[in-house]
Structures are given as structure tokens and as C-alpha cells.
Amino acid sequence: MSRRSGILEFAVLGLLRESPMHGYELRKRLNTSLGIFRAFSYGTLYPCLKTLVANGWLIEEPGSAPEDALAASLAGRRAKIVYRLTADGKEHFEELLSHTGPDAWEDEHFAARFAFFGQTERDVRMRVLEGRRSRLEERLEKMRASLARTRERLDDYTLELQRHGMESVEREVRWLNELIESERVGRDQMRSGPEEPAAQEAGEADGLPRHRDAASPGGTPPGRPGPPDPSADPTK
């Protein structure tokens, strides 16, 4: 199995854990909620779904609306198939969620893992975040060393592109530092017991930092980067 197909299977299982869907709904959610799958087609999704069904992790069911099935029959089309996660599929997805190895730190896989952090154990989230930060710090060190060696041979535009790439990685490292600190604070508060203040805003209990701004109450302040888009990494 290729790395990208493994990421797609992970994302499909995660979305179907939330609710059953048919192929069109799945493709839409993968495109809109998980931007790393913007460019993939039904020709990629349906073989993945067939594999998951064959493995016993999904089951296929007819669409729930009888009129839809009748209309499809009269038009000579197949009724929409709804995909539902099985008990084995849920167990398999939870096992995948617990993985914290190097694959979880890579660009595309990290984006998919982060999208399902709400379903991930706190300690696992921490290990994935710290692994990702370590990977980016290594990348940043290599970029700085490369720039120092080649600075005099680069024209102004290429040099600016190199600097832009470094700044992008530096921003993500700062973002990861905030997330890690929030996770650590939340974990410490859980361990401290009921004597510590227990009331927290939604999101803080899960370790997600809540940035406040007058222009966007409870949201991310203008100018603060959100989760990084791995497809925009200029170092690739």
C-alpha cells in the first residue's frame, strides 16, 4: 500500500466514524474538510472503498430514501450506496489513531492526523505534535545550512524564495509550540484534581489554544496562521 492510499483509507474511516455517507458526500468532505485531498477523483476513492469493504471495515447499504431508489431505478441508474463503518472498522481506526511513529509526522499524514485530533487521546496528540516539531526543526536546520552555503550564488528572487520557505517552516514550529504548551497545561490541570479550577472554555479542555480578538471573538486573530497546508510547502 502506498503512503497516500494509506492516508486516504485513514481519512475515510475517520469521516465514516462520524456518520455513514455515500461516495459523493465522502468526496466532498475529503475535499473541503481535508484539503490534502483536493486533487483526487472518484477513480481514487471507489477502489479505496472497495478495499475497505473487502477487509470488513465498511459495509455497503442502499440509500435510506425509498423515493431516491425508485427514481434511480426508473432512470436506469443504480441507487446511491451508503457506506457504514463496522465494529471491526472502528477498532481498526482507533488502532491507527494510536500510532505515533515517523509516518504521523510527515506533511500529508500529519494534516490528516491533525484533522482527527478531537478523536485522539491526549498523550498520543502530544507525541505526534512533538514528533512533527522535531521533524520540522531538522528540516529548518538543513535549510539554513543550505542557504548559508549557496547564498552568494543565488539571485535575489531565488534567495527570497528560500527565505519564504524558511519563514513558513518557522511559523509552523511556533504554531506547534503553542499547541504543545496548551496540551501540556491541559494535562497538568487534569492531574491536579478538583482543587484546581475546573471550568474551561470549549477547546481548552482538549488542549487546543483559544486565541481571542475583538474582531473575531473566540476565534483565530487575523494574521495568525491556521493548520499548515502541506501542499504549499516550497521545500518539496
Side-chain angles (χ1 to χ4, degrees):
M1 180 191 304
S2 69
R3 175 177 295 177
R4 187 166 180 79
S5 64
I7 298 170
L8 178 57
E9 289 186 5
F10 172 84
V12 167
L13 292 172
L15 290 175
L16 291 177
R17 189 187 187 192
E18 299 173 3
S19 65
M21 302 181 205
H22 55 68
Y24 174 79
E25 291 174 310
L26 267 173
R27 184 172 185 265
K28 185 177 180 181
R29 287 290 305 277
L30 288 165
N31 280 327
T32 57
S33 303
L34 303 173
I36 58 175
F37 296 108
R38 283 193 299 264
F40 90 109
S41 65
Y42 288 114
T44 303
L45 175 61
Y46 283 110
C48 172
L49 291 171
K50 288 183 179 298
T51 298
L52 295 175
V53 170
N55 288 338
W57 297 329
L58 302 182
I59 57 173
E60 297 177 328
E61 299 176 339
S64 57
E67 61 273 17
D68 291 345
L70 177 60
S73 176
L74 293 174
R77 295 182 285 105
R78 292 179 58 189
K80 288 181 179 179
I81 294 175
V82 173
Y83 295 90
R84 181 185 299 275
L85 196 65
T86 65
D88 287 343
K90 181 179 180 181
E91 183 178 346
H92 178 63
F93 179 68
E94 290 174 350
E95 180 183 346
L96 293 176
L97 279 179
S98 68
H99 291 175
T100 59
D103 280 351
W105 312 337
E106 300 299 338
D107 294 341
E108 290 186 341
H109 207 155
F110 173 75
R113 288 297 303 270
F114 190 83
F116 295 101
F117 261 23
Q119 304 180 40
T120 305
E121 294 290 336
R122 184 184 299 271
D123 288 345
V124 174
R125 293 198 303 260
M126 179 71 87
R127 289 195 294 271
V128 172
L129 290 171
E130 290 177 337
R132 175 64 175 173
R133 180 177 63 180
S134 176
R135 180 58 50 86
L136 288 183
E137 287 173 342
E138 292 174 3
R139 182 183 300 175
L140 191 57
E141 184 177 350
K142 292 178 180 178
M143 293 172 71
R144 286 169 175 163
S146 175
L147 184 60
R149 290 194 305 268
T150 60
R151 182 189 300 272
E152 295 181 357
R153 300 196 299 271
L154 299 177
D155 60 59
D156 290 342
Y157 295 102
T158 305
L159 184 61
E160 192 60 31
L161 182 63
Q162 294 285 331
R163 289 172 175 165
H164 174 69
M166 289 177 56
E167 289 172 358
S168 297
V169 177
E170 288 170 345
R171 282 197 300 272
E172 185 173 348
V173 170
R174 290 195 295 270
W175 174 69
L176 289 167
N177 285 336
E178 291 184 4
L179 290 171
I180 290 169
E181 181 59 26
S182 295
E183 292 284 350
R184 185 174 290 115
V185 169
R187 184 171 60 185
D188 291 344
Q189 289 177 343
M190 288 182 64
R191 289 174 176 173
S192 64
E195 293 182 1
E196 294 292 326
Q200 295 182 351
E201 293 186 16
E204 288 178 345
D206 290 330
L208 189 65
R210 303 280 291 187
H211 303 294
R212 300 175 180 82
D213 186 87
S216 54
T220 302
R224 180 181 295 278
D229 182 356
S231 63
D233 190 345
T235 63
K236 291 186 177 179

